Amino acid sequence: MNEATQQTPVLEARNIGKSLGGRPILSDLSLSVYKGEMKVLIGPSGAGKSTFLQCLNHLITPDTGELLLNGERISPANKGELRSLRERVGMIFQDFNLFDHLTAQENVSIALVKVKKMSRRDASLRAMMELERVGLSRRAGLYPAELSGGQKQRVAIARALAMDPEVILLDEPTSALDPELVGEVLAAIRELARGGMTMIMATHQMDFARALATEILFMEKGAIIERGAPASLLAPGAKTRTQAFFARLVAEESAC
Amino acid sequence: MLSLDMFWNRVIPALNEGLFFSLSLIIPSAVIGFLGGVCIGALRVYAPPAVRRIADFHVGVIRGVPLLLQLYFLYYALPKWGVRFSPYQAALLGFILCSSAYHSEYIRGALLSIRQGQVKAAYALGFSTLQMALCIVIPQAVRRALPGCGNEIIYLIKYSSLAYVLTFIELTGHAKELTARSFHYIEIYFTAGMYYLAMTSLAAWLLGLLEKKTRIPGFGAQK
């Protein structure tokens, strides 16, 4: 046994299943993420990546399975436990989901005041610090509509970081961005990984996944059909589904 | 022809008194009606299904029955069950109920128009449903509902004249009494009309100012 498996996972999902209208959309998904790891979910659209991520903080309630945060079983029926789960698990969305009526700084500070019960002053200072970290302290007073997509996503990252989450879920954080804005967001995420943040990320950025993932999980039709280190799944000549998917993405990109 | 002397010394003071009584109905009805509308609108979107149905039913009844009939009911029918209101109380209650029902419809539409992603983001940060509604969705929805709610307030200014039928003598009531004594229908009703027009114009101007004050760059309807 290596060292990692002897620790308790930061977040563990066991046998998550979900059906909608009698049709299974997630079947028996399990995942453990340890401190400082980055798990990457890849797979075609409609594979259930986003649904799975949202089951991990119960934005979507799974039908079956259980969640453990630092080894403690979460009962989501208990509102207090559910809120503490969400407070401790950060989330970044594909389309940012900033609060439109609040400035960048207020977007970051509001949950500190409302959920963490910080004073307004401390929350504003902390928000400034987080915006500084993603390079946006000079945009603190602007509203979401006045920011570019990349800037919006960096504010969303600052908003999640300010809560001091134990793990961050990233749901295709660059998919809604213009190509020239992808880089700045990936750079911010890379910086997080370097700082030892634990993350689970759904993405189509294969180069990014290859470089940073501890493990890649390939999903199709609501199931994980392949998993492994990027070095083995994406090894030149490897006959894996992941490799085939990767090759097709590259081919499509060069065809454009 | 109405003499200028009578106009300034009899008609204007009487209408001013009526104006005062009208405002004593309009201002509290507008404020409480709006706040009530926000509450009912929020309940109709976020409350558990049972509460939602009750609120929907309430709005359905208030919107579906003539206001005049509701006022008669409050003032003349309820005393049979031992519930007695003064004409002022009955009119105020009727206007608040009516106004809040209409406001709730504008607020409900605005609440539904707020992108669901923001609701998800608030939950993902650990907000309770109440915090999410109060801090994220309602502040945006109220801004978006302002033009509709302003419309309702202007309408309220005019239907406040119905209080007259409950023997609460406000602006229209005073005008009616003046004509009954002097028969100068044209001059008196015209002047009373100008009073209403002044009130609605002032309200429209204030509402426009409020819209401008609460506007957020890139959010909602831009001018």
Side-chain angles (χ1 to χ4, degrees):
Chain A
M1 274 199 145
N2 63 33
E3 199 187 346
T5 50
Q6 287 162 354
Q7 304 166 344
T8 317
V10 176
L11 183 67
E12 183 178 359
R14 289 184 185 159
N15 314 104
I16 300 290
K18 173 86 185 164
S19 302
L20 257 177
R23 201 171 59 89
I25 50 173
L26 293 181
S27 40
D28 204 27
L29 299 177
S30 296
L31 172 154
S32 300
V33 59
Y34 292 87
K35 185 144 186 41
E37 280 193 318
M38 178 186 259
K39 303 274 181 186
V40 170
L41 305 175
I42 62 166
S45 302
K49 305 185 293 288
S50 180
T51 310
F52 182 41
L53 280 177
Q54 293 184 58
C55 282
L56 297 180
N57 64 353
H58 269 261
L59 282 184
I60 294 177
T61 312
D63 301 334
T64 58
E66 54 183 19
L67 286 179
L68 291 90
L69 195 59
N70 285 314
E72 283 168 52
R73 201 172 167 278
I74 305 287
S75 7
N78 176 325
K79 286 217 165 132
E81 273 188 41
L82 176 61
R83 288 184 60 185
S84 122
L85 166 77
R86 288 170 174 170
E87 194 184 324
R88 292 158 69 190
V89 177
M91 185 154 210
I92 308 292
F93 299 86
Q94 183 174 341
D95 36 15
F96 331 125
N97 293 343
L98 293 185
F99 306 129
D100 287 335
H101 65 308
L102 300 176
T103 61
Q105 188 176 8
E106 291 164 340
N107 260 280
V108 180
S109 67
I110 187 165
L112 297 177
V113 175
K114 299 295 170 189
V115 179
K116 287 221 184 270
K117 309 295 178 199
M118 265 192 196
S119 74
R120 267 168 210 288
R121 226 184 91 83
D122 291 350
S124 296
L125 285 173
R126 178 66 200 268
M128 262 334 252
M129 234 176 73
E130 295 301 338
L131 287 174
E132 180 89 56
R133 212 160 126 183
V134 294
L136 286 174
S137 51
R138 296 176 65 184
R139 301 269 185 276
L142 296 185
Y143 288 92
E146 301 172 306
L147 299 171
S148 73
Q151 290 170 340
K152 281 187 213 175
Q153 195 59 297
R154 281 148 66 200
V155 172
I157 291 171
R159 179 171 71 176
L161 286 178
M163 298 295 286
D164 291 320
E166 291 163 42
V167 50
I168 297 188
L169 313 173
L170 300 105
D171 187 2
E172 300 199 22
T174 59
S175 295
L177 295 173
D178 291 335
E180 76 270 22
L181 301 178
V182 169
E184 59 184 89
V185 171
L186 290 183
I189 298 170
R190 198 173 292 126
E191 206 48 51
L192 285 187
R194 207 166 286 155
M197 178 56 76
T198 312
M199 291 184 270
I200 306 172
M201 173 169 169
T203 188
H204 291 294
Q205 299 288 332
M206 297 296 285
D207 291 331
F208 189 78
R210 189 210 294 269
L212 287 177
T214 340
E215 187 182 35
I216 290 179
L217 300 98
F218 186 84
M219 284 183 69
E220 196 171 65
K221 295 185 179 132
I224 296 170
I225 59 172
E226 234 171 49
R227 62 203 299 169
S232 64
L233 288 184
L234 293 170
K239 298 245 175 313
T240 58
R241 294 294 303 273
T242 311
Q243 179 72 284
F245 182 71
F246 185 29
R248 214 181 64 224
L249 275 188
V250 171
E252 275 169 19
E253 247 168 54
S254 49
C256 288
Chain B
M1 204 36 206
L2 182 67
S3 75
L4 216 55
D5 174 57
M6 187 181 156
F7 181 75
W8 286 115
N9 295 318
R10 298 280 303 282
V11 174
I12 294 295
L15 290 183
N16 282 347
E17 195 186 318
L19 176 69
F20 171 79
F21 284 117
S22 284
L23 288 174
S24 74
L25 272 177
I26 291 165
I27 292 170
S29 300
V31 173
I32 303 171
F34 175 72
L35 295 177
V38 173
C39 295
I40 297 171
L43 284 179
R44 292 176 68 199
V45 177
Y46 293 112
V51 180
R52 217 179 287 184
R53 268 196 292 277
I54 294 171
D56 282 346
F57 177 75
H58 164 81
V59 172
V61 169
I62 300 291
R63 285 201 307 168
V65 175
L67 178 57
L68 187 55
L69 205 69
Q70 293 176 34
L71 292 175
Y72 281 150
F73 191 86
L74 287 171
Y75 187 61
Y76 294 110
L78 283 186
K80 304 277 178 207
W81 293 336
V83 184
R84 263 165 231 290
F85 293 118
S86 70
Y88 175 74
Q89 288 167 337
L92 188 66
L93 183 61
F95 294 161
I96 288 172
L97 286 175
C98 173
S99 200
S100 61
Y102 279 93
H103 281 305
S104 86
E105 193 65 2
Y106 296 121
I107 297 284
R108 188 178 71 91
L111 284 171
L112 293 175
S113 79
I114 303 301
R115 288 183 302 111
Q116 280 307 295
Q118 296 185 60
V119 174
K120 270 193 178 169
Y123 281 137
L125 287 164
F127 280 65
S128 67
T129 301
L130 186 68
Q131 287 175 330
M132 178 277 295
L134 287 180
C135 306
I136 306 301
V137 185
I138 291 179
Q140 295 182 45
V142 165
R143 284 181 173 89
R144 210 163 266 182
L146 263 184
C149 292
N151 193 41
E152 169 57 26
I153 286 171
I154 293 196
Y155 203 55
L156 162 73
I157 291 173
K158 296 180 293 166
Y159 66 63
S160 70
S161 64
L162 285 176
Y164 168 66
V165 302
L166 302 187
T167 72
F168 183 78
I169 307 302
E170 38 62 78
L171 184 52
T172 304
H174 274 280
K176 179 101 173 88
E177 285 189 345
L178 284 170
T179 58
R181 272 181 272 131
S182 69
F183 306 106
H184 291 296
Y185 296 106
I186 296 174
E187 298 89 335
I188 290 168
Y189 286 146
F190 184 83
T191 312
M194 297 309 280
Y195 272 69
Y196 280 105
L197 194 59
M199 274 195 278
T200 51
S201 304
L202 181 68
W205 179 74
L206 285 174
L207 287 161
L209 212 61
L210 187 63
E211 261 182 65
K212 211 176 280 171
K213 270 260 181 274
T214 56
R215 185 172 301 150
I216 283 167
F219 176 78
Q222 292 281 297
K223 273 190 187 161

